[in-house]
Amino acid sequence: MLKLKRALLGEMLVEEGLITAEQRDIALNEQRRIGGGKRLGEILVNLRMVTEPNLLRILSRQLECPVVDLNQLPPQRDVLDRIPSEFALRYQLLPLHQTDGTLFVAMADPLDIHAIDDLHLLTGLDISPMLASANEIRRIGEQFYLSRMIQGVQEAERAVEDDESLDVADLQKMAKEELVIQMVNLIINQAIQDRASDIHVEPFEKELRVRYRVDGVLHEVNSPPKRYHAAIVSRIKILADLNIAERRLPQDGRMRIRSAGRQIDLRISTVPTVYGESLVMRILDKQTAVLGLTELGMEQIVFQKFRRLIQEPHGIILVTGPTGSGKTTTLYAALSEIYSTEKKIITVEDPVEYQLNGVNQIQVHPQIGLTFASGLRSIVRQDPDIIMVGEIRDHETVEISIHAALTGHLVLSTLHTNDAAGAISRLLDMDAEPYLIASSLIGTVAQRLVRINCRACREPYDEKPEVLRDIGIDSAMLNGKPLMRAKGCPECRGVGFKGRSGIYEMLTVDEQIRRMIVERTPATLIKQYAQQTHGMVSMLQDGRAKVLKGETTIQEVLRVCQREDFEM
């Protein structure tokens, strides 16, 4: 008997009216772009096109597999104890309970035959898979395994000595202990599952604190006892090929791991503090960080202007903002948008965070004389069409960038300034000639990142009039529509936010602005002219638009933007 072909998930979601055919095609294109076997449903949830409960309902029908709510039917501890943490987290599964030789298992992917076979070999039981939220599996699994591990550590009889009294042999031995290896693996894997950008391991007088930076904000997680600080740091330093004997000077390194079937790069930085080495790991996950231009969160007008700008044959485009505001992500998205086999693109970066297909990327090495300026000087002789400079930091780099733009190259770079017009003042501060800036600069973009309301638990609310005035919202703008905020749920780990989006301010350079640059007109007047003549939208106004759409909150926008004077 022939088995009927299983219905496609995308088609089922369109038929149910949960997504449009256009949204399905966008998600399929994104799936092809990132590769790595990422599931379509996961991509749709990440793009906020469908909620996870609705996705699970359709998946249950498609796979003919029952859905289990882990909040209503939590796993039994004695069954969980039988499955190693590495196994459960790698396959995204949790054993729930055992009945008459059958193990009922919550799985993010009930069709994962390898996971089912391995679990059968591990337990000797028949496996009955059930569909569950990947986020809930991760959250409950991490809570159980990390708390069990920390409890085991606290009950350990052998106490680790003070960091300063340990020699290299002790550190090497401790770093190879199974318990330490598991702790480090779990800390890193949990951070990756939580979509963290950084892991902070910080020693204090009586405790060791581990924190994850998620959506730009630090969150504290379960931490091992202080006496295991030296062992954990040593384990990470060995993996990053750093000198474990050197604990008095800062060190930087890099390591590569595999997690959930994908390759993750980590940048390691250590600095000595009063109570031992503080360690930070920057997580570089290409699948979550290299976005397309449409995923940055630009409003349609800004998006169209920016897209036209990066199609220009020559000139300088600057993306500005503080550290961690997503400038490099915007530049990478721009390069991905304009890349073609007919164009040669070269970048000089410090560091090269993500590898882009078809792009020649150069890593800065100041120790051997390879700086932004020297690298840029060599790049120009490589006959590129498009150049990306990681950051313009000094007069020499400014001069070479301007020369490259004036000789027919499109140059993209970043600056640390507060707004778009401030980029002009910053270039003048670096002693660049005003007439050269006016001739080469074609546009600047300032940006910040705001956290997005969790779609699973957001709800309408009433805001105080004085808070509305802070961001320039009046009753006419609301037009009877409520503002939205999220109360916190398991999907967003009680924070109320899940994911981030950019807010932007874009200045395009016209003839009048060129004259103002030559005359060294203050940045405030240039910004004023751009707003009055071209209708330039400030970052605060862009954030206000996202508040009115229910995407974020007033407090979140004001967290990253300066208040402006509004006429109410």
Side-chain angles (χ1 to χ4, degrees):
M1 181 176 175
L2 292 174
K3 188 175 182 180
L4 294 176
K5 186 177 179 182
R6 193 184 303 277
L8 296 174
L9 175 63
E11 297 298 332
M12 294 179 70
L13 289 168
V14 172
E15 288 172 7
E16 285 285 320
L18 296 173
I19 62 171
T20 64
E22 183 183 5
Q23 288 176 317
R24 176 203 60 200
D25 294 341
I26 290 171
L28 287 170
N29 289 334
E30 178 67 8
Q31 187 181 42
R32 285 190 288 269
R33 184 180 73 83
I34 62 180
K38 196 168 186 179
R39 293 188 292 269
L40 179 65
E42 186 180 353
I43 292 171
L44 286 166
V45 172
N46 289 343
L47 293 176
R48 299 191 290 275
M49 293 178 176
V50 67
T51 62
E52 195 165 49
N54 281 334
L55 175 66
L56 290 174
R57 178 168 58 83
I58 302 301
L59 276 173
S60 176
R61 276 178 42 201
Q62 184 203 29
L63 305 178
E64 298 178 356
C65 179
V67 178
V68 59
D69 184 349
L70 296 179
N71 293 309
Q72 301 296 325
L73 185 65
Q76 296 176 357
R77 293 188 68 89
D78 59 332
V79 177
L80 273 171
D81 278 327
R82 299 180 59 180
I83 308 300
S85 61
E86 287 286 327
F87 185 94
L89 295 175
R90 182 170 74 249
Y91 284 124
Q92 290 187 294
L93 58 83
L94 281 180
L96 298 175
H97 57 87
Q98 177 185 337
T99 306
D100 298 330
T102 299
L103 183 64
F104 292 85
V105 183
M107 301 181 67
D109 182 7
L111 298 183
D112 190 341
I113 302 300
H114 296 296
I116 293 172
D117 287 346
D118 288 351
L119 195 56
H120 173 68
L121 291 173
L122 184 66
T123 61
L125 301 170
D126 293 330
I127 307 301
S128 178
M130 304 177 76
L131 180 65
S133 160
N135 290 325
E136 285 300 295
I137 290 173
R138 184 204 67 232
R139 180 180 66 84
I140 293 174
E142 288 166 357
Q143 284 179 353
F144 171 77
Y145 288 116
L146 191 55
S147 62
R148 185 181 69 176
M149 186 178 295
I150 290 173
Q151 183 181 359
V153 171
Q154 290 170 339
E155 293 171 356
E157 295 180 0
R158 185 179 68 84
V160 177
E161 316 222 354
D162 184 58
D163 291 5
E164 295 299 325
S165 64
L166 296 167
D167 60 24
V168 177
D170 290 331
L171 291 172
Q172 288 177 331
K173 182 179 178 182
M174 288 162 48
K176 293 177 182 177
E177 290 182 2
E178 183 63 27
L179 185 60
V180 173
I181 293 172
Q182 286 187 15
M183 273 194 286
V184 170
N185 290 347
L186 199 56
I187 287 170
I188 294 174
N189 284 327
Q190 182 181 346
I192 293 169
Q193 293 294 332
D194 284 358
R195 303 174 296 105
S197 60
D198 302 90
I199 304 171
H200 294 248
V201 181
E202 305 163 312
F204 295 95
E205 183 178 7
K206 296 180 179 178
E207 64 174 349
L208 177 65
R209 180 182 296 169
V210 178
R211 296 192 289 173
Y212 298 156
R213 189 177 294 280
V214 181
D215 294 333
V217 178
L218 285 170
H219 300 278
E220 192 165 352
V221 297
N222 287 331
S223 303
K226 172 70 161 56
R227 62 178 180 267
Y228 277 83
H229 167 244
I232 290 170
V233 171
S234 296
R235 173 67 185 167
I236 295 168
K237 288 169 79 171
I238 288 171
L239 293 173
D241 198 24
L242 298 178
N243 183 3
I244 64 171
E246 181 54 75
R247 283 167 280 171
R248 298 168 300 171
L249 293 174
Q251 295 188 69
D252 295 298
R254 196 165 184 144
M255 58 189 267
R256 180 170 291 177
I257 64 170
R258 290 194 69 81
S259 177
R262 64 183 193 266
Q263 192 168 274
I264 309 289
D265 285 342
L266 294 102
R267 265 186 16 225
I268 314 299
S269 172
T270 69
V271 294
T273 69
V274 175
Y275 299 111
E277 287 182 285
S278 175
L279 183 143
V280 175
M281 290 181 274
R282 168 66 58 88
I283 300 171
L284 307 175
D285 183 356
K286 185 174 181 179
Q287 286 190 10
T288 59
V290 181
L291 305 177
L293 207 58
T294 57
E295 301 167 67
L296 297 179
M298 290 181 176
E299 294 295 320
Q300 194 59 30
I301 294 176
V302 176
F303 172 78
Q304 290 172 352
K305 286 183 178 180
F306 186 67
R307 199 174 191 179
R308 282 199 300 269
L309 203 62
I310 61 177
Q311 300 288 347
E312 292 291 331
H314 54 80
I316 297 178
I317 301 171
L318 296 175
V319 180
T320 76
T323 301
S325 59
K327 300 187 296 296
T328 302
T329 300
T330 299
L331 289 182
Y332 279 178
L335 292 180
S336 299
E337 177 74 16
I338 58 182
Y339 168 75
S340 77
T341 54
E342 298 173 352
K343 295 177 181 177
K344 179 161 184 173
I345 304 175
I346 305 182
T347 73
V348 53
E349 307 171 57
D350 182 23
V352 175
E353 295 193 357
Y354 304 98
Q355 283 75 48
L356 300 174
N357 290 330
V359 177
N360 299 277
Q361 296 173 273
I362 299 171
Q363 169 71 57
V364 166
H365 287 291
Q367 301 89 343
I368 59 173
L370 180 53
T371 62
F372 279 117
S374 62
L376 186 52
R377 193 178 292 109
S378 301
I379 281 177
V380 175
R381 294 194 287 268
Q382 288 278 311
D383 188 31
D385 297 290
I386 300 162
I387 298 169
M388 187 191 99
V389 184
E391 184 183 347
I392 292 179
R393 297 177 179 174
D394 52 44
H395 173 69
E396 190 178 5
T397 310
V398 172
E399 276 198 332
I400 303 169
S401 299
I402 290 173
H403 174 75
L406 293 176
T407 53
H409 304 91
L410 181 67
V411 180
L412 290 78
S413 189
T414 69
L415 273 180
H416 286 95
T417 63
N418 289 327
D419 57 14
I424 297 169
S425 301
R426 184 76 184 98
L427 294 176
L428 291 170
D429 289 342
M430 293 182 187
D431 293 328
E433 291 292 341
Y435 72 94
L436 291 176
I437 299 174
S439 302
S440 58
L441 188 67
I442 59 174
T444 64
V445 179
Q447 69 176 76
R448 300 290 188 276
L449 293 176
V450 293
R451 293 179 292 173
I452 298 299
N453 286 330
C454 174
R455 290 171 63 91
C457 62
R458 68 178 184 175
E459 59 185 13
Y461 80 106
D462 294 322
E463 189 56 89
K464 297 176 183 176
E466 56 268 26
V467 177
L468 294 175
R469 281 195 295 270
D470 283 342
I471 200 170
I473 292 178
D474 57 25
S475 56
M477 290 179 181
L478 289 171
N479 196 24
K481 287 182 63 178
L483 299 179
M484 305 292 286
R485 68 180 173 193
K487 59 185 178 181
C489 67
E491 188 167 329
C492 61
R493 292 180 165 262
V495 177
F497 299 99
K498 188 174 182 183
R500 287 191 291 179
S501 179
I503 55 176
Y504 298 89
E505 172 180 297
M506 184 169 176
L507 174 73
T508 51
V509 179
D510 63 8
E511 287 304 317
Q512 178 59 30
I513 291 179
R514 289 192 177 94
R515 282 194 289 270
M516 296 171 85
I517 293 172
V518 172
E519 295 167 2
R520 294 181 179 268
T521 303
T524 52
L525 296 181
I526 294 176
K527 181 175 182 176
Q528 212 171 69
Y529 164 80
Q531 289 176 319
Q532 293 171 354
T533 307
H534 298 295
M536 184 182 83
V537 176
S538 70
M539 282 182 288
L540 190 65
Q541 291 169 323
D542 193 23
R544 182 174 66 191
K546 284 183 167 54
V547 169
L548 292 171
K549 288 179 181 179
E551 295 178 10
T552 190
T553 64
I554 294 174
Q555 291 76 14
E556 182 63 14
V557 173
L558 294 177
R559 181 179 68 86
V560 298
C561 284
Q562 290 181 330
R563 289 172 171 82
E564 295 175 356
D565 294 326
F566 294 103
E567 294 182 8
M568 297 293 287

